[in-house]
Amino acid sequence: MTSWHAYERALSVSAEEVEIQLRGYGPVAWADFLLNPRRLRGSDFLMRWSQGQWSEQCLIQAVRATNLYFALPYGPSGTAPDDVRAFELYFERLEAAGLGQRKRPDLLIFRKSDEPAISQILERLGGVQELPFVSEGHPDMVSLLASAVFAIECENSLWKARQMPDYDRKLTPQKRLGGKPGLKKGAVLPTVILKEEDRLPLAQWQEERGVKIHIWHTFYDLAFGIAFDIAQELITSGKIEPTIQIFQAPGGATTKKTIYKIYHHYAYPLAETVEEPKLEAASIVDKNGHILPYVKFTGGTLKLSLEALHTLASASQH
């Protein structure tokens, strides 16, 4: 199995998501690209970066709009700058500090009433962007985590959930699942993704830090959430089977990964899009004038569901 750096893991794209093919362009001299030539090599990776940044920001805004809670980026992908080149340099700094292989959830959720105290902690630590570089054993980090309602692992997909062919289709007994409820193997529906490589690191983090983790998966029009513990139970019970996918990193390297696609039936409705984002044309130009176009996500608004608010309220009481 190929060993990837944190940067490559953050922007890796599964084969089924690589759907855009640009025709009519000659070979691009990647060795002359402004960025490191092993880095961003195609539009799919730039769009993956833009979509990931957009979805996390929409979730942060949706949580704050409740006026009861607020969210902070915590993992490297969320705290990294909103600029392609700065994003890359941030991850290089993380690798140089020997922190690139650590797994942390993407967001932390806090009560609105705790915001003044949390702001003071962040100021002492040097700001949100410095969180990945501070040991979780640091007294201020311990205080920060002790105040968290729960942590969020973010995933996103470039689909309109409601238009997927098997959205809301009833689960029926499946032979391959030993009679457990499910759908045909090739069903196309909204799912909440959990990667096998993340299961143990997330379980260890949750146990060591005492903060429960939820997985929030954002689609273009809807978002779904599930507690990490429930996801684990579904997998160990055989209700959700593993799927082998080929992932490609920005440097071109590919590797097979096991992932779990958890039916949205098992998740709680997290949010709904009340204002769609705009898909704007963007590009990077290298020093020789070669243009690398991609689509950038801007704007858009999500509104948390009543089920999500109940989940937050329940967690904040513990």
mmCIF file with all atom_site columns, all heavy atoms in Angstrom, residues 60 64 70-75 106-110 118 122 128 131 144:
data_model
loop_
_atom_site.group_PDB
_atom_site.id
_atom_site.type_symbol
_atom_site.label_atom_id
_atom_site.label_alt_id
_atom_site.label_comp_id
_atom_site.label_asym_id
_atom_site.label_entity_id
_atom_site.label_seq_id
_atom_site.pdbx_PDB_ins_code
_atom_site.Cartn_x
_atom_site.Cartn_y
_atom_site.Cartn_z
_atom_site.occupancy
_atom_site.B_iso_or_equiv
_atom_site.pdbx_formal_charge
_atom_site.auth_seq_id
_atom_site.auth_comp_id
_atom_site.auth_asym_id
_atom_site.auth_atom_id
_atom_site.pdbx_PDB_model_num
ATOM 1   N N   . ILE A 1 60  ? -19.985 25.030 9.581  1.00 0.00 ? 60  ILE A N   1
ATOM 2   C CA  . ILE A 1 60  ? -19.633 25.963 10.656 1.00 0.00 ? 60  ILE A CA  1
ATOM 3   C C   . ILE A 1 60  ? -20.666 27.086 10.737 1.00 0.00 ? 60  ILE A C   1
ATOM 4   O O   . ILE A 1 60  ? -21.127 27.454 11.822 1.00 0.00 ? 60  ILE A O   1
ATOM 5   C CB  . ILE A 1 60  ? -18.214 26.527 10.430 1.00 0.00 ? 60  ILE A CB  1
ATOM 6   C CG1 . ILE A 1 60  ? -17.166 25.436 10.680 1.00 0.00 ? 60  ILE A CG1 1
ATOM 7   C CG2 . ILE A 1 60  ? -17.955 27.733 11.335 1.00 0.00 ? 60  ILE A CG2 1
ATOM 8   C CD1 . ILE A 1 60  ? -15.749 25.831 10.310 1.00 0.00 ? 60  ILE A CD1 1
ATOM 9   N N   . ARG A 1 64  ? -23.411 27.906 13.819 1.00 0.00 ? 64  ARG A N   1
ATOM 10  C CA  . ARG A 1 64  ? -23.456 29.232 14.457 1.00 0.00 ? 64  ARG A CA  1
ATOM 11  C C   . ARG A 1 64  ? -24.844 29.867 14.319 1.00 0.00 ? 64  ARG A C   1
ATOM 12  O O   . ARG A 1 64  ? -25.288 30.592 15.209 1.00 0.00 ? 64  ARG A O   1
ATOM 13  C CB  . ARG A 1 64  ? -22.386 30.149 13.855 1.00 0.00 ? 64  ARG A CB  1
ATOM 14  C CG  . ARG A 1 64  ? -22.356 31.531 14.483 1.00 0.00 ? 64  ARG A CG  1
ATOM 15  C CD  . ARG A 1 64  ? -21.128 32.322 14.100 1.00 0.00 ? 64  ARG A CD  1
ATOM 16  N NE  . ARG A 1 64  ? -19.932 31.834 14.757 1.00 0.00 ? 64  ARG A NE  1
ATOM 17  C CZ  . ARG A 1 64  ? -19.585 32.102 16.014 1.00 0.00 ? 64  ARG A CZ  1
ATOM 18  N NH1 . ARG A 1 64  ? -20.378 32.855 16.771 1.00 0.00 ? 64  ARG A NH1 1
ATOM 19  N NH2 . ARG A 1 64  ? -18.469 31.634 16.509 1.00 0.00 ? 64  ARG A NH2 1
ATOM 20  N N   . PHE A 1 70  ? -21.532 26.786 18.459 1.00 0.00 ? 70  PHE A N   1
ATOM 21  C CA  . PHE A 1 70  ? -20.636 27.236 17.408 1.00 0.00 ? 70  PHE A CA  1
ATOM 22  C C   . PHE A 1 70  ? -19.597 26.150 17.163 1.00 0.00 ? 70  PHE A C   1
ATOM 23  O O   . PHE A 1 70  ? -19.362 25.285 18.011 1.00 0.00 ? 70  PHE A O   1
ATOM 24  C CB  . PHE A 1 70  ? -19.973 28.574 17.750 1.00 0.00 ? 70  PHE A CB  1
ATOM 25  C CG  . PHE A 1 70  ? -18.959 28.527 18.865 1.00 0.00 ? 70  PHE A CG  1
ATOM 26  C CD1 . PHE A 1 70  ? -17.597 28.496 18.591 1.00 0.00 ? 70  PHE A CD1 1
ATOM 27  C CD2 . PHE A 1 70  ? -19.359 28.522 20.200 1.00 0.00 ? 70  PHE A CD2 1
ATOM 28  C CE1 . PHE A 1 70  ? -16.654 28.464 19.622 1.00 0.00 ? 70  PHE A CE1 1
ATOM 29  C CE2 . PHE A 1 70  ? -18.434 28.501 21.237 1.00 0.00 ? 70  PHE A CE2 1
ATOM 30  C CZ  . PHE A 1 70  ? -17.072 28.464 20.942 1.00 0.00 ? 70  PHE A CZ  1
ATOM 31  N N   . ALA A 1 71  ? -19.015 26.166 15.993 1.00 0.00 ? 71  ALA A N   1
ATOM 32  C CA  . ALA A 1 71  ? -18.056 25.139 15.591 1.00 0.00 ? 71  ALA A CA  1
ATOM 33  C C   . ALA A 1 71  ? -16.725 25.771 15.231 1.00 0.00 ? 71  ALA A C   1
ATOM 34  O O   . ALA A 1 71  ? -16.665 26.893 14.714 1.00 0.00 ? 71  ALA A O   1
ATOM 35  C CB  . ALA A 1 71  ? -18.593 24.351 14.393 1.00 0.00 ? 71  ALA A CB  1
ATOM 36  N N   . LEU A 1 72  ? -15.655 25.041 15.521 1.00 0.00 ? 72  LEU A N   1
ATOM 37  C CA  . LEU A 1 72  ? -14.307 25.478 15.171 1.00 0.00 ? 72  LEU A CA  1
ATOM 38  C C   . LEU A 1 72  ? -13.623 24.401 14.343 1.00 0.00 ? 72  LEU A C   1
ATOM 39  O O   . LEU A 1 72  ? -13.756 23.209 14.639 1.00 0.00 ? 72  LEU A O   1
ATOM 40  C CB  . LEU A 1 72  ? -13.468 25.714 16.425 1.00 0.00 ? 72  LEU A CB  1
ATOM 41  C CG  . LEU A 1 72  ? -13.800 26.903 17.313 1.00 0.00 ? 72  LEU A CG  1
ATOM 42  C CD1 . LEU A 1 72  ? -12.872 26.901 18.529 1.00 0.00 ? 72  LEU A CD1 1
ATOM 43  C CD2 . LEU A 1 72  ? -13.673 28.211 16.545 1.00 0.00 ? 72  LEU A CD2 1
ATOM 44  N N   . PRO A 1 73  ? -12.878 24.792 13.305 1.00 0.00 ? 73  PRO A N   1
ATOM 45  C CA  . PRO A 1 73  ? -12.055 23.806 12.606 1.00 0.00 ? 73  PRO A CA  1
ATOM 46  C C   . PRO A 1 73  ? -10.972 23.294 13.548 1.00 0.00 ? 73  PRO A C   1
ATOM 47  O O   . PRO A 1 73  ? -10.407 24.063 14.322 1.00 0.00 ? 73  PRO A O   1
ATOM 48  C CB  . PRO A 1 73  ? -11.456 24.602 11.439 1.00 0.00 ? 73  PRO A CB  1
ATOM 49  C CG  . PRO A 1 73  ? -11.564 26.034 11.832 1.00 0.00 ? 73  PRO A CG  1
ATOM 50  C CD  . PRO A 1 73  ? -12.752 26.138 12.733 1.00 0.00 ? 73  PRO A CD  1
ATOM 51  N N   . TYR A 1 74  ? -10.715 22.001 13.494 1.00 0.00 ? 74  TYR A N   1
ATOM 52  C CA  . TYR A 1 74  ? -9.755  21.403 14.421 1.00 0.00 ? 74  TYR A CA  1
ATOM 53  C C   . TYR A 1 74  ? -8.704  20.558 13.707 1.00 0.00 ? 74  TYR A C   1
ATOM 54  O O   . TYR A 1 74  ? -7.534  20.598 14.053 1.00 0.00 ? 74  TYR A O   1
ATOM 55  C CB  . TYR A 1 74  ? -10.509 20.561 15.450 1.00 0.00 ? 74  TYR A CB  1
ATOM 56  C CG  . TYR A 1 74  ? -9.642  20.039 16.576 1.00 0.00 ? 74  TYR A CG  1
ATOM 57  C CD1 . TYR A 1 74  ? -9.017  20.924 17.455 1.00 0.00 ? 74  TYR A CD1 1
ATOM 58  C CD2 . TYR A 1 74  ? -9.428  18.674 16.751 1.00 0.00 ? 74  TYR A CD2 1
ATOM 59  C CE1 . TYR A 1 74  ? -8.218  20.463 18.488 1.00 0.00 ? 74  TYR A CE1 1
ATOM 60  C CE2 . TYR A 1 74  ? -8.632  18.196 17.780 1.00 0.00 ? 74  TYR A CE2 1
ATOM 61  C CZ  . TYR A 1 74  ? -8.023  19.086 18.647 1.00 0.00 ? 74  TYR A CZ  1
ATOM 62  O OH  . TYR A 1 74  ? -7.227  18.616 19.672 1.00 0.00 ? 74  TYR A OH  1
ATOM 63  N N   . GLY A 1 75  ? -9.121  19.795 12.708 1.00 0.00 ? 75  GLY A N   1
ATOM 64  C CA  . GLY A 1 75  ? -8.165  18.999 11.944 1.00 0.00 ? 75  GLY A CA  1
ATOM 65  C C   . GLY A 1 75  ? -7.408  19.860 10.954 1.00 0.00 ? 75  GLY A C   1
ATOM 66  O O   . GLY A 1 75  ? -7.822  20.982 10.635 1.00 0.00 ? 75  GLY A O   1
ATOM 67  N N   . ASP A 1 106 ? -12.301 16.791 12.222 1.00 0.00 ? 106 ASP A N   1
ATOM 68  C CA  . ASP A 1 106 ? -12.223 18.039 11.466 1.00 0.00 ? 106 ASP A CA  1
ATOM 69  C C   . ASP A 1 106 ? -12.761 19.250 12.216 1.00 0.00 ? 106 ASP A C   1
ATOM 70  O O   . ASP A 1 106 ? -12.257 20.356 12.058 1.00 0.00 ? 106 ASP A O   1
ATOM 71  C CB  . ASP A 1 106 ? -12.985 17.885 10.150 1.00 0.00 ? 106 ASP A CB  1
ATOM 72  C CG  . ASP A 1 106 ? -12.385 16.807 9.261  1.00 0.00 ? 106 ASP A CG  1
ATOM 73  O OD1 . ASP A 1 106 ? -11.174 16.890 8.993  1.00 0.00 ? 106 ASP A OD1 1
ATOM 74  O OD2 . ASP A 1 106 ? -13.115 15.892 8.855  1.00 0.00 ? 106 ASP A OD2 1
ATOM 75  N N   . LEU A 1 107 ? -13.817 19.060 13.010 1.00 0.00 ? 107 LEU A N   1
ATOM 76  C CA  . LEU A 1 107 ? -14.446 20.175 13.715 1.00 0.00 ? 107 LEU A CA  1
ATOM 77  C C   . LEU A 1 107 ? -14.688 19.832 15.176 1.00 0.00 ? 107 LEU A C   1
ATOM 78  O O   . LEU A 1 107 ? -14.788 18.649 15.544 1.00 0.00 ? 107 LEU A O   1
ATOM 79  C CB  . LEU A 1 107 ? -15.803 20.526 13.086 1.00 0.00 ? 107 LEU A CB  1
ATOM 80  C CG  . LEU A 1 107 ? -15.879 20.867 11.595 1.00 0.00 ? 107 LEU A CG  1
ATOM 81  C CD1 . LEU A 1 107 ? -17.336 21.082 11.187 1.00 0.00 ? 107 LEU A CD1 1
ATOM 82  C CD2 . LEU A 1 107 ? -15.042 22.092 11.269 1.00 0.00 ? 107 LEU A CD2 1
ATOM 83  N N   . LEU A 1 108 ? -14.797 20.860 15.998 1.00 0.00 ? 108 LEU A N   1
ATOM 84  C CA  . LEU A 1 108 ? -15.246 20.718 17.374 1.00 0.00 ? 108 LEU A CA  1
ATOM 85  C C   . LEU A 1 108 ? -16.474 21.609 17.555 1.00 0.00 ? 108 LEU A C   1
ATOM 86  O O   . LEU A 1 108 ? -16.497 22.749 17.076 1.00 0.00 ? 108 LEU A O   1
ATOM 87  C CB  . LEU A 1 108 ? -14.160 21.143 18.366 1.00 0.00 ? 108 LEU A CB  1
ATOM 88  C CG  . LEU A 1 108 ? -12.898 20.285 18.450 1.00 0.00 ? 108 LEU A CG  1
ATOM 89  C CD1 . LEU A 1 108 ? -11.909 20.911 19.437 1.00 0.00 ? 108 LEU A CD1 1
ATOM 90  C CD2 . LEU A 1 108 ? -13.216 18.846 18.867 1.00 0.00 ? 108 LEU A CD2 1
ATOM 91  N N   . ILE A 1 109 ? -17.495 21.089 18.253 1.00 0.00 ? 109 ILE A N   1
ATOM 92  C CA  . ILE A 1 109 ? -18.722 21.843 18.512 1.00 0.00 ? 109 ILE A CA  1
ATOM 93  C C   . ILE A 1 109 ? -18.736 22.269 19.981 1.00 0.00 ? 109 ILE A C   1
ATOM 94  O O   . ILE A 1 109 ? -18.462 21.462 20.872 1.00 0.00 ? 109 ILE A O   1
ATOM 95  C CB  . ILE A 1 109 ? -19.975 21.002 18.219 1.00 0.00 ? 109 ILE A CB  1
ATOM 96  C CG1 . ILE A 1 109 ? -19.888 20.374 16.824 1.00 0.00 ? 109 ILE A CG1 1
ATOM 97  C CG2 . ILE A 1 109 ? -21.237 21.845 18.374 1.00 0.00 ? 109 ILE A CG2 1
ATOM 98  C CD1 . ILE A 1 109 ? -19.963 21.355 15.693 1.00 0.00 ? 109 ILE A CD1 1
ATOM 99  N N   . PHE A 1 110 ? -19.092 23.536 20.219 1.00 0.00 ? 110 PHE A N   1
ATOM 100 C CA  . PHE A 1 110 ? -19.142 24.082 21.574 1.00 0.00 ? 110 PHE A CA  1
ATOM 101 C C   . PHE A 1 110 ? -20.480 24.773 21.824 1.00 0.00 ? 110 PHE A C   1
ATOM 102 O O   . PHE A 1 110 ? -21.173 25.178 20.883 1.00 0.00 ? 110 PHE A O   1
ATOM 103 C CB  . PHE A 1 110 ? -18.025 25.113 21.795 1.00 0.00 ? 110 PHE A CB  1
ATOM 104 C CG  . PHE A 1 110 ? -16.639 24.579 21.597 1.00 0.00 ? 110 PHE A CG  1
ATOM 105 C CD1 . PHE A 1 110 ? -16.017 24.664 20.356 1.00 0.00 ? 110 PHE A CD1 1
ATOM 106 C CD2 . PHE A 1 110 ? -15.956 23.992 22.659 1.00 0.00 ? 110 PHE A CD2 1
ATOM 107 C CE1 . PHE A 1 110 ? -14.740 24.177 20.172 1.00 0.00 ? 110 PHE A CE1 1
ATOM 108 C CE2 . PHE A 1 110 ? -14.669 23.504 22.475 1.00 0.00 ? 110 PHE A CE2 1
ATOM 109 C CZ  . PHE A 1 110 ? -14.066 23.583 21.235 1.00 0.00 ? 110 PHE A CZ  1
ATOM 110 N N   . ILE A 1 118 ? -13.544 30.046 25.250 1.00 0.00 ? 118 ILE A N   1
ATOM 111 C CA  . ILE A 1 118 ? -12.866 29.378 24.140 1.00 0.00 ? 118 ILE A CA  1
ATOM 112 C C   . ILE A 1 118 ? -12.020 30.383 23.357 1.00 0.00 ? 118 ILE A C   1
ATOM 113 O O   . ILE A 1 118 ? -10.902 30.086 22.928 1.00 0.00 ? 118 ILE A O   1
ATOM 114 C CB  . ILE A 1 118 ? -13.883 28.695 23.213 1.00 0.00 ? 118 ILE A CB  1
ATOM 115 C CG1 . ILE A 1 118 ? -14.680 27.625 23.976 1.00 0.00 ? 118 ILE A CG1 1
ATOM 116 C CG2 . ILE A 1 118 ? -13.178 28.076 22.011 1.00 0.00 ? 118 ILE A CG2 1
ATOM 117 C CD1 . ILE A 1 118 ? -13.836 26.539 24.597 1.00 0.00 ? 118 ILE A CD1 1
ATOM 118 N N   . LEU A 1 122 ? -7.989  30.168 22.504 1.00 0.00 ? 122 LEU A N   1
ATOM 119 C CA  . LEU A 1 122 ? -7.447  30.258 21.148 1.00 0.00 ? 122 LEU A CA  1
ATOM 120 C C   . LEU A 1 122 ? -6.421  31.377 21.026 1.00 0.00 ? 122 LEU A C   1
ATOM 121 O O   . LEU A 1 122 ? -5.404  31.229 20.347 1.00 0.00 ? 122 LEU A O   1
ATOM 122 C CB  . LEU A 1 122 ? -8.581  30.477 20.145 1.00 0.00 ? 122 LEU A CB  1
ATOM 123 C CG  . LEU A 1 122 ? -9.538  29.305 19.931 1.00 0.00 ? 122 LEU A CG  1
ATOM 124 C CD1 . LEU A 1 122 ? -10.656 29.701 18.971 1.00 0.00 ? 122 LEU A CD1 1
ATOM 125 C CD2 . LEU A 1 122 ? -8.792  28.090 19.395 1.00 0.00 ? 122 LEU A CD2 1
ATOM 126 N N   . VAL A 1 128 ? -6.772  29.614 15.637 1.00 0.00 ? 128 VAL A N   1
ATOM 127 C CA  . VAL A 1 128 ? -7.264  28.314 15.167 1.00 0.00 ? 128 VAL A CA  1
ATOM 128 C C   . VAL A 1 128 ? -6.243  27.597 14.287 1.00 0.00 ? 128 VAL A C   1
ATOM 129 O O   . VAL A 1 128 ? -6.069  26.377 14.376 1.00 0.00 ? 128 VAL A O   1
ATOM 130 C CB  . VAL A 1 128 ? -8.596  28.504 14.390 1.00 0.00 ? 128 VAL A CB  1
ATOM 131 C CG1 . VAL A 1 128 ? -8.971  27.239 13.639 1.00 0.00 ? 128 VAL A CG1 1
ATOM 132 C CG2 . VAL A 1 128 ? -9.715  28.877 15.342 1.00 0.00 ? 128 VAL A CG2 1
ATOM 133 N N   . LEU A 1 131 ? -3.796  25.137 15.968 1.00 0.00 ? 131 LEU A N   1
ATOM 134 C CA  . LEU A 1 131 ? -4.251  23.987 16.757 1.00 0.00 ? 131 LEU A CA  1
ATOM 135 C C   . LEU A 1 131 ? -3.572  22.669 16.364 1.00 0.00 ? 131 LEU A C   1
ATOM 136 O O   . LEU A 1 131 ? -3.177  21.890 17.244 1.00 0.00 ? 131 LEU A O   1
ATOM 137 C CB  . LEU A 1 131 ? -5.778  23.848 16.662 1.00 0.00 ? 131 LEU A CB  1
ATOM 138 C CG  . LEU A 1 131 ? -6.599  24.949 17.345 1.00 0.00 ? 131 LEU A CG  1
ATOM 139 C CD1 . LEU A 1 131 ? -8.095  24.671 17.189 1.00 0.00 ? 131 LEU A CD1 1
ATOM 140 C CD2 . LEU A 1 131 ? -6.231  25.060 18.821 1.00 0.00 ? 131 LEU A CD2 1
ATOM 141 N N   . LEU A 1 144 ? -9.777  23.078 26.180 1.00 0.00 ? 144 LEU A N   1
ATOM 142 C CA  . LEU A 1 144 ? -10.556 23.231 24.954 1.00 0.00 ? 144 LEU A CA  1
ATOM 143 C C   . LEU A 1 144 ? -11.407 21.987 24.706 1.00 0.00 ? 144 LEU A C   1
ATOM 144 O O   . LEU A 1 144 ? -12.621 22.074 24.467 1.00 0.00 ? 144 LEU A O   1
ATOM 145 C CB  . LEU A 1 144 ? -9.616  23.474 23.775 1.00 0.00 ? 144 LEU A CB  1
ATOM 146 C CG  . LEU A 1 144 ? -10.262 23.755 22.416 1.00 0.00 ? 144 LEU A CG  1
ATOM 147 C CD1 . LEU A 1 144 ? -10.817 25.172 22.381 1.00 0.00 ? 144 LEU A CD1 1
ATOM 148 C CD2 . LEU A 1 144 ? -9.251  23.561 21.287 1.00 0.00 ? 144 LEU A CD2 1
#
